[in-house]
Amino acid sequence: MRPASLAILCPVPEYEEDWSHIKADYIRLLGEDTVFVDWTQAKDLTEYDLVTPLLAWGYQRDCPCWFDLLDRLERDGIPVSNPVRILRWNSDKAYLAELEAAGIATVPTRMAEALDDAALAEARVAFGATALVIKPPISGGADGTFRLERGDPIPPTVRGQRMMIQPYLANIADEGEYSLFYFAGRFSHAIIKHPAKGDFRVQDQFGGYEEATEAPALAKELAEAALAAASKITQTDALAYARVDMLRDGEGRFRLMELELIEPSLFLRFAADSGEAFAHALRSKASSRG
């Protein structure tokens, strides 16, 4: 039997975030013959036994191209690490409303189809909060994400756009944001991410940093309930990889921020096995066709 071939969809060459260390990790774990393909130029992927969008960073900046790619993967029957059905569902954070309806504790969210001052005022009353966070429902890397205190103007770049509105939860700065990682449906490791002083964004390009942590039992309970609900909603089986982001609210209850099922950073340096479970999950999917 020939060795299974794997293609990892990756950012366009001019993408500003450095992903070289992640690429090195994947080569170490998956082999030197792993192919990296610019996701915007991924025209024919039929030769690969498995395609994974793990590095398709920036897809939110060209949504038509992204959804066209998902349609082609589905139409051509390309084996994908996580099913196309759940990738499409996970692309738009409107899925949070579906999870909430399924009984999952999420960060309270209102959707404004065309963000304006009235939508913010209504959200402040509904949430009983003065500080709000706004973000595009199709987003990544905190693109277009802002914290607005009462009286702050809506940034011109997002006024009139479809936007999510959430209360600002102070625990993002006081404690941090938890991320729990699952490979082939099994828990691997957890980290806690902290924003820079005075900020609320945990990404490293904004000065955020992360550290290993033990996953609290209630955090694992929420993560696994959210993944089970997502599987039921989308009618998909266990995923090759998943990251579940959450934080505690003012009462100490864990609330889901988002499911990262497309292109999450996996922080494999914090995994006890240095990522072997992740590699096994992908190799198993690829070898089933190879």
Side-chain angles (χ1 to χ4, degrees), residues 22 63 74 76 83 101 103 111 117 151 154 156 167 190 222 243 254 258 288:
I22 299 178
C63 295
E74 194 168 55
D76 295 343
M111 193 73 73
D117 297 319
I154 297 174
L222 175 61
R243 191 180 96 196
F254 280 107
E258 60 183 298
S288 66

Side-chain angles (χ1 to χ4, degrees), residues 40-116:
T40 68
Q41 301 299 318
K43 303 304 181 188
D44 184 6
L45 297 167
T46 56
E47 65 184 285
Y48 299 105
D49 295 307
L50 188 72
V51 172
T52 180
L54 264 168
L55 284 168
W57 294 356
Y59 73 85
Q60 74 277 9
R61 300 177 185 178
D62 192 346
C63 295
C65 183
W66 170 246
F67 286 114
D68 177 67
L69 172 60
L70 294 182
D71 289 345
R72 286 190 290 110
L73 289 170
E74 194 168 55
R75 183 181 65 241
D76 295 343
I78 305 296
V80 184
S81 52
N82 285 343
V84 170
R85 185 185 300 115
I86 206 165
L87 297 179
R88 189 181 289 113
W89 177 82
N90 193 229
S91 296
D92 190 315
K93 293 180 181 62
Y95 70 77
L96 287 171
E98 294 183 69
L99 291 176
E100 183 182 31
I104 303 302
T106 65
V107 173
T109 303
R110 293 170 69 94
M111 193 73 73
E113 293 302 322
L115 184 67
D116 58 12

Side-chain angles (χ1 to χ4, degrees), residues 25-26 28-30 50 54 181-189 239-242 266 268 270-285:
D25 248 359
Y26 291 169
R28 170 180 63 84
L29 288 163
L30 301 170
L50 188 72
L54 264 168
F181 301 84
Y182 290 80
F183 303 130
R186 294 177 178 270
F187 175 74
S188 169
H189 60 290
L239 306 174
Y241 59 86
L266 298 176
L268 296 175
F270 294 112
D273 65 357
S274 300
E276 286 299 331
F278 157 73
H280 180 72
L282 261 63
R283 288 195 206 103
S284 296
K285 287 240 177 182

Side-chain angles (χ1 to χ4, degrees), residues 93-97 100 105-112 115 119-120 122-137 139 145-149 163-170 172 177 200 245 247 255-259:
K93 293 180 181 62
Y95 70 77
L96 287 171
E100 183 182 31
T106 65
V107 173
T109 303
R110 293 170 69 94
M111 193 73 73
L115 184 67
L120 292 183
E122 291 167 7
R124 285 194 170 93
V125 171
F127 298 144
T130 57
L132 302 175
V133 172
I134 60 171
K135 63 181 73 171
S139 62
T145 299
F146 302 93
R147 181 177 64 189
L148 299 179
E149 301 289 342
M163 296 288 286
M164 299 164 58
I165 310 172
Q166 299 175 326
Y168 170 70
L169 299 181
I172 193 70
E177 173 186 323
F200 69 103
D245 294 341
L247 80 170
R255 290 188 174 272
L256 180 74
M257 296 180 71
E258 60 183 298
L259 294 180

